[in-house]
Amino acid sequence: MILNTRKTLALGLIAVILAGGIFYAGFNVGSIQKVGGLALENSTSSLAANPEILWEAINLIKENYVSAKDVTDKDLIYGAVAGAVGALKDPYSVFFNPSDAEKFSQDLNGSFGGVGMEIGIKNSQLVVIAPLKGNPAEKAGFKPGDMILKIDDTFTNDMDTTAAVKIIRGEPGTKVKLLMMREGWKEPKEFEITRAIIEVPTLDWEMKEGNIAYIQLYNFNSNAGSLFYNSALSTLISGAKGVVLDLRNNPGGFLDISIEIAGWFTNRGEPVVREKFRSGEENVMRSNGPSALVNLPVVVLVNGGSASASEILAGALQDVRKIKLVGEKTFGKGSVQEIENLKDGSTLKITIAEWLTPNGRHINKLGIIPDVVIKMPDDGIINKKDPQLDKALEIIKQEINK
């Protein structure tokens, strides 16, 4: 099984945003060393019957295109591959030429100047998935689901996230203009934001009134497991009577970390996520403990910025322990991508499976609906209003007093 031998990431959206930092995409990191001939299942397709059509078209371009001297054979081949991937109409399946592949690798491992948000494609529109805490995008008031209509002088119609990242990311201290639209606004608004080196927080923890542990998990990066371990131990030592786990604006990260953290809240051996392949085969990933918080009442906060690994964890706790989710519907990124490194340095990221909750609910495109739906007011960030957290604390107190 491919996922038993490769590190799996769960997040989403090939868009680290621009911002620096950590972006993981719900995929397997692998490699492939051969690029073979055409092998199509559907023998009735015109391409399968006439594979020379591709080369015929390329030759016609080279012979007749007015600016053919400015286009290399490599450009044409890369364009053909990108077009084939684009025909899938899957925003998470992407082809990177060698230059873009190197930038993508940097996105996974490095940090850059940007505005501090994760972006993705939803309903064919470039949108904000999650602004990152303490960074320029959050300070500007951006919210999950905000539509990005224009970046500087470039409209985003048909723009993929890779192209958007190229424009938005830049030297710290420089400015970028973003034309934004939000549901409920009468017209778009333009924001001029100064790029910065993005600091991506992982976890905050505190005790609330009534001995309630409040854990904010901002992403599932490689540090999240150890930081959650420390917060969980502090929760137990402090004699907490309940836990509020905040996954709002958490765009995801390592799948293994999501399963590890689920193990604190569920019994060993409980299902956390089901991975379904095109063949119909399923791979069920299960909790491996330590189950130390399994007897504590828990409420989970989610919103439209909760994606991928966040949705996996929230869905598992909702299914397995009937834990209540409070907030807004999650983003709906529930597919698995595999990274294939081609021999010329280019890269293909392609969707190979879907994630389902333990009870078989599809996450992809649908998201997870909270048990208690509460919207955040537009001025919530500015005035520090948080009716979602207030409701979660109210519910957890009720659970404690049962």
Side-chain angles (χ1 to χ4, degrees):
M1 175 70 73
I2 220 167
L3 293 182
N4 291 336
T5 58
R6 298 173 181 170
K7 190 71 172 177
T8 304
L9 300 159
L11 159 83
L13 308 144
I14 184 177
V16 338
I17 285 270
L18 342 139
I22 305 172
F23 166 67
Y24 312 108
F27 51 69
N28 302 320
V29 180
S31 63
I32 187 168
Q33 295 302 321
K34 65 177 182 178
V35 182
L38 241 38
L40 302 181
E41 284 186 6
N42 184 0
S43 61
T44 63
S45 73
S46 60
L47 182 57
N50 300 288
E52 68 276 8
I53 288 176
L54 173 62
W55 305 111
E56 182 181 358
I58 288 177
N59 286 329
L60 285 170
I61 291 170
K62 292 172 65 176
E63 292 171 3
N64 299 305
Y65 178 53
V66 64
S67 300
K69 63 181 177 59
D70 299 326
V71 182
T72 67
D73 289 352
K74 188 173 288 188
D75 291 333
L76 294 172
I77 294 298
Y78 288 156
V81 177
V85 176
L88 303 177
K89 300 189 184 304
D90 174 14
Y92 307 118
S93 293
V94 184
F95 172 74
F96 303 96
N97 63 39
S99 175
D100 289 341
E102 183 178 359
K103 290 185 178 67
F104 178 69
S105 178
Q106 291 172 346
D107 285 344
L108 293 177
N109 300 297
S111 61
F112 309 91
V115 302
M117 62 183 179
E118 298 285 352
I119 59 173
I121 303 294
K122 195 162 190 177
N123 299 324
S124 302
Q125 173 64 53
L126 189 69
V127 299
V128 175
I129 297 169
L132 304 179
K133 181 186 176 184
N135 289 293
E138 187 198 46
K139 292 174 182 177
F142 290 2
K143 295 176 64 177
D146 284 352
M147 293 169 277
I148 306 170
L149 305 182
K150 189 178 179 182
I151 307 169
D152 285 334
D153 296 324
T154 305
F155 285 98
T156 61
N157 304 41
D158 301 321
M159 181 184 291
D160 62 28
T161 53
T162 304
V165 168
K166 285 182 180 179
I167 304 173
I168 300 177
R169 194 171 63 188
E171 289 296 320
T174 60
K175 297 181 184 296
V176 61
K177 290 182 180 179
L178 300 172
L179 185 65
M180 310 293 292
M181 187 64 187
R182 178 180 300 166
E183 185 179 349
W185 286 358
K186 293 182 178 179
E187 58 185 24
K189 298 179 183 181
E190 185 174 79
F191 296 79
E192 185 175 71
I193 301 180
T194 301
R195 298 180 178 96
I197 293 294
I198 304 305
E199 299 295 332
V200 183
T202 301
L203 184 147
D204 286 329
W205 175 88
E206 65 175 296
M207 288 295 289
K208 294 285 189 182
E209 182 184 352
N211 278 2
I212 298 169
Y214 175 51
I215 302 173
Q216 293 176 281
L217 186 60
Y218 301 109
N219 63 73
F220 291 83
N221 63 23
S222 57
N223 297 320
S226 59
L227 291 174
F228 191 89
Y229 174 91
N230 292 335
S231 67
L233 285 185
S234 297
T235 294
L236 294 168
I237 292 170
S238 300
K241 296 180 179 179
V243 176
V244 172
L245 176 63
D246 194 342
L247 299 178
R248 292 176 297 179
N249 295 341
N250 181 328
F254 288 105
L255 173 62
D256 291 351
I257 299 296
S258 178
I259 295 171
E260 177 183 338
I261 291 175
W264 284 89
F265 298 98
T266 59
N267 289 314
R268 187 181 297 266
E270 293 279 12
V272 176
V273 64
R274 293 162 58 182
E275 195 170 44
K276 188 172 184 178
F277 296 85
R278 59 180 290 182
S279 64
E281 178 186 0
E282 287 193 9
N283 178 34
V284 180
M285 301 181 186
R286 299 181 181 276
S287 166
N288 195 33
S291 309
L293 304 176
V294 74
N295 293 318
L296 285 180
V298 178
V299 173
V300 178
L301 285 163
V302 295
N303 67 0
S306 307
S308 200
S310 293
E311 295 174 286
I312 288 170
L313 177 56
L317 298 184
Q318 194 180 41
D319 279 3
V320 173
R321 278 196 54 189
K322 309 304 179 188
I323 285 172
K324 287 182 178 176
L325 308 187
V326 175
E328 300 169 74
K329 187 173 78 167
T330 63
F331 183 82
K333 200 288 178 181
S335 59
V336 186
Q337 281 70 48
E338 180 176 280
I339 292 291
E340 299 287 6
N341 299 316
L342 309 182
K343 64 181 181 181
D344 69 339
S346 55
T347 295
L348 178 64
K349 181 168 77 77
I350 187 167
T351 299
I352 60 166
E354 281 192 291
W355 281 309
L356 283 65
T357 71
N359 289 349
R361 292 182 291 156
H362 286 264
I363 296 172
N364 204 43
K365 298 181 182 179
L366 300 175
I368 295 176
I369 298 174
D371 301 277
V372 181
V373 177
I374 297 180
K375 290 192 174 183
M376 279 286 286
D378 283 345
D379 63 348
I381 294 175
I382 299 171
N383 295 320
K384 300 188 186 240
K385 298 176 183 176
D386 197 341
Q388 295 173 342
L389 175 57
D390 292 343
K391 187 64 176 179
L393 291 170
E394 176 189 326
I395 292 173
I396 200 70
K397 289 174 182 176
Q398 292 171 355
E399 294 285 334
I400 292 170
N401 292 327
K402 280 184 177 179

